Amino acid sequence: MSSQKPHIEIILPIYNEVKNLVPLIAQLDQVKKRLAPQASLSLLFINDGSTDGSTELLHRLYRDRNDVRVVNLVHNFGHGAALTCGLNYFSGDAAILMDADQQDDPLAIIQLFEAWKKGNKTVVAARGERKERGKALFQLFYFVLHKLSPTLPPVKFGTFSILDRSVVRRFLQLRERNRYFPGLIAFASDKITSVVVDRKERGHGKSRVGMFGLVHLAITAFISFSNAPVRLVSILGLAAAGLAMIAGFTIIAIKIFTPLAIPGWASIMTATAFWSGLQLLCLGIIGEYIARMYDEVKRRPMYLVDQHLSHKTSEEKTQEVA
């Protein structure tokens, strides 16, 4: 690392966070003052199609401050796409990924930076105490994911992290559209260091993800980093074939050796419902893989940029996104 102060850029995806932005920026400014002797900090906001006044606030921030850049996307492309856009536009020695809903504690940036300064290329905020609902579901998700995907590090973390420029370059080589960011960060890193950070409550408004979004993220994580779901289809198929064979021999034996060979309506309907449900489950798992394959082969851009507000020269901008 050079003798000059390193430049750290904080990447913040924004979608309708106007009420959270003012207190968040105040906290980030305090962090910036504390780190000023050691590093320079700037803010890169990825405006992911906000419609609540966030766009106007971000534009005012850009006009009033020279440490702010804003990338406006054409419409809402989703959290993963916005983070990817931020990494594509990133310029600095290290990138900090964090959410703007105040659940990621800005003061933890100091801990992340200190660990990075010691030579750790990837430092993540391991999830400590969680204040939001559904803690048991999150614990179950991490337990199952790490059982099915042993290649992933056992650290429980989201996107709050600091990534060295070399890690960002490797990350940008990954082209899949369905993204589980913690898994991709782990894939692009030779080693992951963690600091424990408690997860705070959301500042204002409701979560943009919701239960459906969390289920979708969980499915993406399992499918992207484990073959276990599709192997489960094979196991279920073999088990079903074995049970069907046993049932067939049993029926033949009853027919030949006993007078009880009277087909029962209840048993027939139960068996039909069971095998039909099993088939639908298998088709559903296979369908999830096919749907994601279809997303990949379409090769549509992950996001579309409407406007990039930057105080840098046009030459610096060209180098930055090259």
Side-chain angles (χ1 to χ4, degrees):
M1 201 176 294
S2 66
S3 58
Q4 283 188 327
K5 288 196 301 185
H7 176 205
I8 311 298
E9 190 154 52
I10 302 174
I11 299 173
L12 295 138
I14 305 296
Y15 178 62
N16 292 346
E17 299 288 2
V18 66
K19 292 183 178 180
N20 287 313
L21 277 172
V22 173
L24 175 64
I25 291 169
Q27 295 177 71
L28 289 173
D29 283 342
Q30 292 299 317
V31 172
K32 183 178 180 180
K33 289 179 182 178
R34 291 179 61 174
L35 289 180
Q38 304 178 67
S40 62
L41 265 67
S42 63
L43 306 177
L44 173 57
F45 293 99
I46 310 300
N47 183 20
D48 192 21
S50 296
T51 58
D52 69 337
S54 296
T55 302
E56 292 74 16
L57 177 56
L58 292 175
H59 285 199
R60 287 199 302 271
L61 282 171
Y62 167 74
R63 290 194 298 268
D64 295 341
R65 303 173 53 146
N66 60 8
D67 64 339
V68 168
R69 289 193 293 148
V70 179
V71 177
N72 291 316
L73 302 186
V74 173
H75 53 75
N76 180 252
F77 289 91
H79 187 258
L83 283 173
T84 302
C85 174
L87 290 173
N88 272 305
Y89 277 80
F90 155 76
S91 176
D93 296 297
I96 290 179
L97 307 179
M98 68 180 297
D99 292 337
D101 56 7
Q102 300 190 70
Q103 287 191 285
D104 293 334
D105 187 0
L107 290 177
I109 290 174
I110 298 172
Q111 295 174 263
L112 295 173
F113 172 77
E114 292 294 337
W116 173 78
K117 193 173 64 171
K118 293 176 182 177
N120 300 297
K121 301 295 185 181
T122 301
V123 186
V124 301
R127 298 273 170 88
E129 179 66 25
R130 306 183 72 105
K131 299 294 178 61
E132 73 264 46
R133 298 176 180 176
K135 290 188 286 186
L137 291 176
F138 282 109
Q139 294 293 335
L140 178 62
F141 163 72
Y142 283 120
F143 175 79
V144 176
L145 177 63
H146 291 136
K147 287 294 183 182
L148 297 182
S149 306
T151 57
L152 291 179
V155 183
K156 301 173 185 177
F157 68 97
T159 56
F160 193 19
S161 57
I162 182 168
L163 307 179
D164 189 80
R165 178 169 48 191
S166 60
V167 177
V168 173
R169 286 174 177 166
R170 290 197 293 267
F171 184 96
L172 292 177
Q173 297 178 45
L174 308 177
R175 298 298 184 183
E176 61 258 49
R177 291 181 50 83
N178 295 283
R179 307 201 138 199
Y180 176 58
F181 251 78
L184 296 180
I185 289 173
F187 187 85
S189 306
D190 56 348
K191 180 184 177 183
I192 289 182
T193 304
S194 64
V195 295
V196 178
V197 178
D198 290 342
R199 185 81 165 156
K200 299 167 64 179
E201 290 184 347
R202 181 179 173 83
H204 296 276
K206 296 181 179 180
S207 173
R208 308 284 184 242
V209 180
M211 184 56 66
F212 178 80
L214 291 174
V215 170
H216 176 77
L217 179 63
I219 292 173
T220 297
F222 290 130
I223 290 179
S224 298
F225 291 92
S226 175
N227 291 325
V230 78
R231 286 176 181 167
L232 177 63
V233 172
S234 300
I235 294 171
L236 289 173
L238 287 173
L243 289 173
M245 186 176 296
I246 293 171
F249 285 132
T250 302
I251 291 170
I252 292 172
I254 291 173
K255 177 70 174 178
I256 295 173
F257 300 111
T258 75
L260 304 176
I262 301 173
W265 181 85
S267 59
I268 292 174
M269 294 304 297
T270 300
T272 301
F274 174 76
W275 299 121
S276 298
L278 186 62
Q279 290 173 358
L280 289 174
L281 172 63
C282 295
L283 287 173
I285 293 174
I286 296 171
E288 289 290 344
Y289 280 90
I290 293 174
R292 281 159 174 74
M293 290 166 58
Y294 181 57
D295 276 344
E296 300 296 337
V297 299
K298 284 189 293 189
R299 300 187 66 81
R300 290 177 183 169
M302 198 173 302
Y303 58 86
L304 296 171
V305 174
D306 180 52
Q307 188 180 28
H308 177 203
L309 303 177
S310 174
H311 298 285
K312 297 182 178 181
T313 65
S314 59
E315 181 180 352
E316 286 174 316
K317 292 181 187 178
T318 302
Q319 293 173 350
E320 162 191 306
V321 298

